Amino acid sequence: MISHDIPTPFNRGGGPDWGRLMADAKHKWVMGLRPGNVEAFFARRDPTDAVRRERAHWLDEDPEKYAALTDAAHSPLRETVELAQTLGVSINPALPPWAQLLELGRGWEADFAWMHPDDKGDHRLIGGVVCFPSSWALRDKLQRTMSETHHPVPGLNAELDSKIETFFARMSPGVAWLRENAGYSRVPDLNQHPDRPRPPLGKTVVVDEFWIRLEHQLLLKLPISRSILFAIRMEVVPLRRVLESPATAAGLARLLETMPYAPAEYKGLTDAREAIILLLRAAESDTATDPPDDWK
């Protein structure tokens, strides 16, 4: 059930928009938000339908591991089902809420969760479907605030915590925002739940054992519940693809070189970083080129 390198046209030809993502490649924690389009984000992009088949596999195998629905999530679930129906996903609203949640998880290619404001205005995770996590478990995060959810990320709270909550509070219902987040892995599996063992990145890593897990994220405030719909499309990119563009390779090398020890350790890069940087620097040329035409 391994799926990887599935075409996902986030720009014209498919693949990441490296020119924007690497515009300032020095490592720093940023929100990096820009306006988005809900219909475009949730549109099917996998012509083979392998992504949805894999999602159905994990939800059939262990729905309690990959889905969660608290009482507070029933209202945002109804709103999200209505949204999905307008986007072409067929879900019977007469089904019990849990069954609707699973159907939504099978119908979309993206993972999703809801952050709902508590009595103090702090947004807490109240449910969703996450089949392709990057070393975290949905149920471990239930009822946690954004600050508590990000507690293991070195330096992130200090940089972004108050900004995130302020942004959530000021969001206008129905207006979508997009951002990206990158992780790294030695295997291309979409599902990297902490219960699934996988080899760590180490000093012996070679070019075909390094994968960038690029999360394309959407934030949308729902009009009735005022919950934040947080959706994630996972794109897995092989390092070999990055090496085809000297400019992109140089950008990633700079990002890794400027990443402090704590974030590098959190992202599992401590032992592999030097080897990966050498591979990236070797791909550079005297005149850096643009990404390949099919990436533009």
Side-chain angles (χ1 to χ4, degrees):
M1 293 300 300
I2 293 177
S3 301
H4 59 87
D5 205 20
I6 294 169
T8 49
F10 288 96
N11 48 16
R12 286 179 293 168
D17 183 359
W18 293 117
R20 177 177 56 78
L21 295 174
M22 294 294 178
D24 180 7
K26 184 178 179 180
H27 176 269
K28 55 185 175 181
W29 297 118
V30 296
M31 292 179 68
L33 291 158
R34 67 188 190 282
N37 180 281
V38 175
E39 183 176 3
F41 183 89
F42 286 111
R44 292 189 186 179
R45 304 184 183 190
D46 170 21
T48 70
D49 216 25
V51 170
R52 293 200 311 136
R53 286 198 303 273
E54 181 166 353
R55 295 181 63 79
H57 166 79
W58 298 119
L59 289 172
D60 290 343
E61 179 177 278
D62 195 342
E64 296 288 340
K65 178 181 291 186
Y66 300 106
L69 188 70
T70 66
D71 290 343
H74 283 224
S75 178
L77 171 63
R78 286 193 295 271
E79 291 181 272
T80 306
V81 166
E82 291 174 0
L83 171 65
Q85 289 172 325
T86 68
L87 300 177
V89 178
S90 179
I91 299 174
N92 182 358
L95 291 171
W98 179 252
Q100 291 186 49
L101 178 70
L102 297 183
E103 285 303 297
L104 186 55
R106 296 183 181 99
W108 273 343
E109 293 174 355
D111 284 326
F112 60 92
W114 299 288
M115 301 294 297
H116 186 73
D118 62 16
D119 294 340
K120 297 180 180 179
D122 295 326
H123 289 76
R124 296 181 180 274
L125 198 154
I126 57 172
V129 174
V130 180
C131 296
F132 303 145
S134 296
S135 304
W136 63 281
L138 175 63
R139 289 193 171 266
D140 290 346
K141 306 295 185 180
L142 283 177
Q143 303 298 349
R144 294 189 181 186
T145 64
M146 186 63 70
S147 175
E148 293 165 346
T149 298
H150 283 144
H151 179 69
V153 186
L156 178 58
N157 283 12
E159 292 290 333
L160 297 183
D161 186 33
S162 62
K163 294 179 182 178
I164 292 172
E165 278 295 346
T166 299
F167 178 76
F168 280 179
R170 294 179 177 177
M171 284 178 68
S172 297
V175 178
W177 295 87
L178 303 177
R179 68 181 301 271
E180 283 83 24
N181 182 56
Y184 309 94
S185 178
R186 198 162 187 162
V187 293
D189 304 34
L190 288 172
N191 180 5
Q192 298 204 5
H193 191 281
D195 286 351
R196 303 187 72 230
R198 61 189 181 280
L201 290 165
K203 295 180 180 180
T204 61
V205 66
V206 296
V207 65
D208 290 323
E209 295 178 329
F210 189 83
W211 303 79
I212 302 170
R213 291 176 61 82
L214 193 59
E215 296 182 359
H216 300 269
Q217 303 175 355
L218 174 138
L219 296 165
L220 178 72
K221 179 174 283 189
L222 301 173
I224 299 175
S225 65
R226 314 295 284 190
S227 296
I228 306 296
L229 173 63
F230 176 59
I232 304 172
R233 275 188 173 273
M234 183 62 68
E235 183 175 17
V236 182
V237 183
L239 179 62
R240 188 172 293 281
R241 192 75 170 112
V242 173
L243 297 180
E244 294 176 9
S245 166
T248 305
L252 182 56
R254 182 167 182 251
L255 187 152
L256 297 181
E257 288 168 343
T258 57
M259 186 179 294
Y261 178 84
E265 184 178 36
Y266 169 77
K267 289 179 176 287
L269 289 169
T270 307
D271 293 333
R273 176 158 50 171
E274 183 177 352
I276 298 303
I277 290 173
L278 288 175
L279 289 169
L280 291 165
R281 289 303 185 193
E284 294 180 58
S285 61
D286 293 337
T287 303
T289 62
D290 291 330
D293 287 341
D294 63 341
W295 281 24
K296 297 179 182 178

